[in-house]
Amino acid sequence: MRNRLILDTDGGVDDAQALLMLIAAGRVPDAVTTVFGNVDLETATGNILSVLAHAGVPGVPVHRGAAAALPPRAGVNVSWDINTSCGAMAYRLRP
């Protein structure tokens, strides 16, 4: 049995490229979620729907998620480091 694949995206060009690479490899996601990030939620959702349509797989369900950052949970203390030269992000738990 094949594992289900749900791709979580923020609608940026890197996620569009990853989606296209999955489709080209014959691994169309079972669903895609969109959240704000590189762009606002509506643009992120529109970008992903456009990529799916242009790739010939418009029937993949796309679900909207968070339109803004979620508040931190009590007891979880996370710090984000962003490398502005390449846009890479990493997180670490703070003591």
Side-chain angles (χ1 to χ4, degrees):
M1 171 183 262
R2 186 180 89 168
N3 288 333
R4 293 188 54 146
L5 174 62
I6 299 173
L7 183 64
D8 183 46
T9 71
D10 65 6
V13 68
D14 56 330
D15 293 347
Q17 183 177 10
L19 178 55
L20 287 169
M21 291 172 71
L22 282 168
I23 293 166
R27 190 61 172 97
V28 177
D30 296 297
V32 180
T33 61
T34 59
V35 297
F36 93 104
N38 286 353
V39 295
D40 64 86
L41 178 59
E42 293 306 314
T43 302
T45 304
N47 288 351
I48 295 303
L49 288 168
S50 179
V51 168
L52 291 169
H54 280 88
V57 288
V60 175
V62 176
H63 303 278
R64 290 179 175 94
L70 299 176
R73 293 186 319 185
V76 177
N77 200 358
V78 176
S79 173
W80 289 95
D81 292 325
I82 302 175
N83 181 338
T84 56
S85 65
C86 66
M89 293 192 302
Y91 73 92
R92 65 184 184 293
L93 295 176
R94 292 182 286 188

